[in-house]
Amino acid sequence: MQILILNCGSSSAKFAVMDPASGVELIAGLAQRLGSPQASLDWKWQGQKHTRALPGADHQPALRAVVALLHEVGLAAGINGVGHRVLHGGARFSDPALVTPAVIAGIEACIPLGPLHNPPNLLGIRIAQELFPGLPQVAVFDTAFHATMPPCAYLYAVPMEWAEQHQARRYGFHGTSHRFVAADALTRLGLTDQPSGIITVHLGNGCSCAAVRDGRSVDTTMGLTPLEGVVMGTRSGSVDPALIGYMAKRLELPADKIIDLLNKQSGLQGLSGLSNDMRTLIEHAGQGHARARLAIEVFCYVLAKTIAGLVVPLGRLDAVVFTGGIGENSVPVRAKVVELLGFLGLSLDVNLNAGHGRTAGGRITTGSGSCALVVPTNEELMIARDTAALVA
């Protein structure tokens, strides 16, 4: 079976064709900078990278170019279903869903919760329905894995009517990644069918943690939107809500502009004044850049403090699992976070950490108690598997 995976953002569209049984990625690419003169289609096929200019193209012609490419390389006829990443499913969707008119209406109803992401996600679904008539389409929701959180974890301490009438509550994100990594980690630890408590730590430009008890999410750090939680590349993470009103007055800007700054000019970027890229900050911190060093310290401190707090809903700790671009690749960040969490019984193995745990099943700590692992995420494979299951 072959599954086409689509992830449509506001100015880009990622795609891949995968065999969900073997996990083999047959082709993968990105249509990027859509709507601009620099729009392009970039892909990797049989180990070779290719690019094709799409000047001025938006989603519609870009996705048509993707389908034309799939015909060129002989993959289009073998596709059995299309899986779509959808950011926000609200409280409506706790599992992947075959796309029907009712499901589309449900995704539309969640647009106020995901105004930047759900519209392009929907556009990708509609275009794929047009270009692949008759093929089953499946929506895989970023929020679904966290639908198992109890009310004490997802409710804010605000008037209950806000949640009941306006869906103002915590939902969490990165669910597809957390689900894939949690399942992989439990298999590596031999805990698939046993009581377990692990904390999955997805670190990229966006960052979030999840407390996973017996394979189910019971708490997470992102909230109503992906702005809440730990420090991220350009997002502030959790701040005093009164900061928005305070800075709106000080800067003489509307509140929504302050929220935009918290999303796009804060986090590592805001603290360092240099970059949102952890690799750049580590390089410059080593050269004496004080704000780069401070940004890394704040990032690791907040992350460690948050991980420690997520032990509460678990009642135990079998493993802390690092994933995502930073989590999988940043030796210094993992080292600092594990050091700060030493009181939980974690003891870093410097050599294993330097090798990203590849020679030890992902493990980067010593001892037989709580451990830390590095587990590469694969959201595309998770979407392919979900799609294949519903198609079958």
Side-chain angles (χ1 to χ4, degrees):
M1 182 178 285
Q2 294 179 9
I3 301 297
L4 170 62
I5 302 105
L6 290 179
N7 179 0
C8 290
S10 58
S11 61
S12 66
K14 290 177 66 177
F15 72 94
V17 176
M18 299 188 77
D19 177 343
S22 66
V24 171
E25 188 176 74
L26 303 174
I27 191 171
L30 174 69
Q32 58 183 329
R33 296 184 292 272
L34 298 182
S36 77
Q38 294 78 37
S40 67
L41 176 61
D42 305 298
W43 71 94
K44 187 175 181 180
W45 163 247
Q46 296 183 336
Q48 300 294 317
K49 294 182 178 181
H50 307 269
T51 189
R52 182 173 294 168
L54 300 173
D58 57 18
H59 287 82
Q60 182 85 249
L63 287 178
R64 290 186 184 279
V66 168
V67 174
L69 173 63
L70 296 180
H71 280 286
E72 281 180 38
V73 299
L75 291 176
I79 293 172
N80 304 100
V82 185
H84 300 267
R85 177 179 180 259
V86 178
L87 178 87
H88 218 307
R92 296 166 181 260
F93 298 102
S94 56
D95 293 292
L98 277 169
V99 173
T100 64
V103 167
I104 287 178
I107 297 171
E108 288 175 334
C110 292
I111 287 177
L113 298 172
L116 299 180
H117 296 84
N118 275 32
N121 296 160
L122 273 170
L123 181 61
I125 290 173
R126 290 183 168 120
I127 294 174
Q129 286 178 319
E130 175 192 342
L131 298 178
F132 289 101
L135 271 189
Q137 313 275 330
V138 173
V140 179
F141 299 91
D142 231 23
T143 49
F145 182 57
H146 305 299
T148 50
M149 289 192 297
C152 63
Y154 70 68
L155 285 174
Y156 292 117
V158 296
M160 184 60 79
E161 293 77 15
W162 292 13
E164 293 174 341
Q165 299 174 19
H166 304 289
Q167 298 80 52
R169 45 157 287 187
R170 298 176 67 239
Y171 293 97
F173 299 89
H174 292 145
T176 305
S177 176
H178 285 296
R179 182 159 57 104
F180 180 89
V181 169
D184 194 331
L186 292 175
T187 299
R188 294 178 186 223
L189 295 169
L191 294 173
T192 302
D193 298 316
Q194 300 181 39
S196 61
I198 66 174
I199 297 170
T200 50
V201 184
H202 180 107
L203 305 177
N205 190 48
C207 303
S208 68
C209 309
V212 183
R213 187 172 64 216
D214 302 337
R216 294 158 63 90
S217 175
V218 292
D219 205 346
T220 191
T221 54
M222 285 180 167
L224 174 72
T225 75
L227 181 58
E228 186 180 1
V230 296
V231 177
M232 306 177 221
T234 63
R235 297 183 193 130
S236 64
S238 298
V239 297
D240 183 343
L243 179 67
I244 297 172
Y246 174 77
M247 290 309 301
K249 291 179 181 178
R250 299 291 295 183
L251 299 178
E252 298 182 350
L253 293 171
D256 59 353
K257 179 59 177 175
I258 301 300
I259 294 173
D260 192 53
L261 293 173
L262 292 175
N263 270 298
K264 298 178 180 178
Q265 297 296 326
S266 300
L268 293 172
Q269 175 71 53
L271 285 169
S272 70
L274 181 67
S275 175
N276 66 322
D277 191 304
M278 182 62 76
R279 295 165 296 186
T280 300
L281 297 184
I282 290 171
E283 177 186 351
H284 282 77
Q287 297 169 358
H289 194 292
R291 284 180 59 181
R293 185 169 60 250
L294 178 62
I296 296 167
E297 289 177 356
V298 172
F299 180 92
C300 294
Y301 170 76
V302 172
L303 180 59
K305 182 173 69 168
T306 302
I307 291 170
L310 287 175
V311 177
V312 173
L314 296 176
R316 60 185 289 166
L317 181 64
D318 294 299
V320 175
V321 187
F322 292 95
T323 195
I326 297 173
E328 294 171 32
N329 298 296
S330 182
V331 172
V333 167
R334 292 195 306 259
K336 182 62 177 177
V337 173
V338 171
E339 176 191 345
L340 290 168
L341 294 173
F343 69 95
L344 293 175
L346 299 178
S347 179
L348 188 76
D349 184 305
V350 174
N351 292 326
L352 290 179
N353 187 43
H356 309 296
R358 293 183 184 124
T359 61
R363 190 181 292 258
I364 59 171
T365 51
T366 61
S368 57
S370 301
C371 66
L373 302 177
V374 179
V375 176
T377 191
N378 195 331
E379 295 172 271
E380 287 75 19
L381 179 55
M382 192 81 259
I383 294 172
R385 288 174 176 171
D386 288 340
T387 302
L390 287 177
V391 167

